[in-house]
Amino acid sequence: MAVWSGHLCRLITTEVRTARSLGLLTTAEAEQLLARLVLVIDQAVSPVKP
């Protein structure tokens, strides 16, 4: 994973945890959202195989 994608994952994690602490997301919703976003970011930076 590229360095910038690691920073992006940490930033998103912070934002999602803040939303959870403010009651905007449940714990389950936050965990599921983070899991999905990590997969999407990983796929976005992975090289495309022919």
Side-chain angles (χ1 to χ4, degrees):
M1 195 180 299
V3 173
W4 67 265
S5 64
H7 291 298
L8 178 60
C9 285
R10 285 190 294 279
L11 174 66
I12 290 171
T13 298
T14 300
E15 293 296 325
V16 169
R17 287 180 178 163
T18 299
R20 185 190 68 203
S21 70
L22 294 172
L24 301 172
L25 295 172
T26 65
T27 299
E29 290 170 333
E31 289 175 359
Q32 186 176 36
L33 179 58
L34 287 173
R36 289 181 180 194
L37 287 171
V38 167
L39 286 174
V40 170
I41 292 168
D42 186 48
Q43 290 173 353
V45 299
S46 295
V48 177
K49 296 179 183 173

